[in-house]
Amino acid sequence: MYFYGVIMTASFKKHILNFKTPSGTSRGILKTKETWILIIQTKGKEGIGECGMFKGLSIDDRPDFEGKLKWACTNINKGLEFLISELTEFPSIQFGLEMAFKSLQSQDKFDLFPSEFTRGNASVSINGLIWMGSEAFMKQQIKDKIAAGFNCIKLKIGAIDFQKEIDLLKSIRKQFTSKDIELRVDANGAFSPNEALEKLKRLSELDLHSIEQPIKQGQIDDMASLCEQTPLPIALDEELIGVFDVTKKTELLQTIRPQYIILKPTLVGGFKGSDEWITSAEENGIGWWITSALESNIGLNAIAQYTYKTKNKMPQGLGTGSLFTNNFESPLYVENGRLQYNKTKNWKINL
């Protein structure tokens, strides 16, 4: 396959993102995050993408990951459709390729979906993310996010004593009603199936918006039962990882019947994979929103532009760009709880 009559070449480079502050999840403390930047070149033109495989979470966290990425670069001239079809089990590489090809085709290689967002005239509502840690650390994060103008806050729970987490949420509700601050919690599968319903009942008393992945993925019957009985809306997150076939995506949603699903394009196969999940969710009356998965600003930029294009008005999970000391400088910035694009600011990519 030729692109504008010129043969393409492709290469990639690993980039280690360093967290400003070690960030706690139910899987442990994150200090660094690996990612792979993909470059496609033709004569006088370049496209850039990001394969942000997430170790310990991505289905493509496999020993042959970099080997498969090399294969994709070697076979780049066979075209995006062929590569996507051959890389079903490597969703982060699929997404990096989608991004890079779209970048190559764009007038401005970072303006993948030209819109009022990339022209600086519109923004995307996002949630403020509160990382796990000590009670004092989490309280300070909450104060900072509220002071920064966020009206939707998401807390990762499951690391400290559950009662302390309840008390934290209660302290927010004493000051702010659900009309003032929308509260979401993410358990990352921290609850056991036999305790989950009782914990959801206690959480529901605090007028929360939803809880993400209360029990570990793969417990389909238990999750279906929980979604049927829950007093608090449940959002599937990790449960979507590794489900590749469109029919199986629909079967999963029709079996579990969650109230929401959460799409991380890096983990579910990029724009195409996300589109499939959105179509299936909407056909089955299930809500959805989109979040990043600790990509650099290259991946976050693509996700943000795609998200704006969907016209979903819910707060999205796209506030991760400022977490790293060595992220790439970009036009993305957050103000008053909204992700915005400063079209006068240039990108700085140092690899």
Side-chain angles (χ1 to χ4, degrees), residues 186-200:
D186 181 3
N188 285 129
F191 302 161
S192 66
N194 62 356
E195 69 179 0
L197 185 58
E198 187 57 38
K199 288 189 171 182
L200 295 189

Side-chain angles (χ1 to χ4, degrees), residues 1-4 6-10 38-42 45-50 72-73 75-84 87 93-109 111-113 271:
M1 175 184 171
Y2 290 84
F3 189 85
Y4 294 137
V6 181
I7 294 177
M8 294 176 285
T9 60
L38 175 67
I39 305 290
I40 302 178
Q41 293 177 317
T42 66
K45 198 161 175 62
E46 181 177 89
I48 189 165
E50 179 174 2
C73 291
N75 290 277
I76 201 70
N77 283 286
K78 292 185 179 179
L80 181 61
E81 189 174 336
F82 169 80
L83 294 169
I84 293 293
L87 292 164
I93 300 179
Q94 288 180 318
F95 188 32
L97 286 163
E98 279 185 318
M99 221 183 294
F101 271 89
K102 200 153 189 63
S103 171
L104 193 64
Q105 293 168 329
S106 302
Q107 283 189 319
D108 173 345
K109 70 179 179 181
D111 193 354
L112 308 186
F113 296 95
F271 305 131

Side-chain angles (χ1 to χ4, degrees), residues 85-155:
S85 67
E86 292 293 311
L87 292 164
T88 303
E89 297 180 2
F90 294 84
S92 66
I93 300 179
Q94 288 180 318
F95 188 32
L97 286 163
E98 279 185 318
M99 221 183 294
F101 271 89
K102 200 153 189 63
S103 171
L104 193 64
Q105 293 168 329
S106 302
Q107 283 189 319
D108 173 345
K109 70 179 179 181
F110 293 107
D111 193 354
L112 308 186
F113 296 95
S115 67
E116 289 302 297
F117 175 72
T118 57
R119 286 186 280 274
N121 299 324
S123 58
V124 178
S125 176
I126 63 173
N127 62 242
L129 180 59
I130 309 301
W131 291 91
M132 291 175 175
S134 68
E135 187 177 0
F137 174 61
M138 293 178 76
K139 277 185 176 178
Q140 187 58 52
Q141 289 182 83
I142 292 165
K143 287 179 182 178
D144 292 345
K145 293 299 181 186
I146 292 172
F150 285 89
N151 56 23
C152 177
I153 293 176
K154 170 182 161 180
L155 289 84

Side-chain angles (χ1 to χ4, degrees), residues 311-329:
K311 302 301 180 186
N312 185 317
K313 299 301 182 185
M314 296 177 68
Q316 311 291 311
L318 305 178
T320 55
S322 63
L323 294 174
F324 308 111
T325 61
N326 60 335
N327 208 340
F328 306 113
E329 286 190 45

Side-chain angles (χ1 to χ4, degrees), residues 7 10 19 23 53 84 93 107 111 113 166 209 222 229 247 340-341:
I7 294 177
F19 281 83
S23 299
M53 187 269 283
I84 293 293
I93 300 179
Q107 283 189 319
D111 193 354
F113 296 95
I166 290 285
H209 173 270
D222 287 327
Q229 300 177 69
T247 301
Q340 305 189 55
Y341 200 91

Side-chain angles (χ1 to χ4, degrees), residues 26 130 132 138 155-160 162 165 169 185-188 190-191 203 211:
S26 60
I130 309 301
M132 291 175 175
M138 293 178 76
L155 289 84
K156 286 188 172 290
I157 62 173
I160 63 175
F162 183 65
E165 291 170 336
L169 292 163
V185 293
D186 181 3
N188 285 129
F191 302 161
L203 288 166
I211 182 169

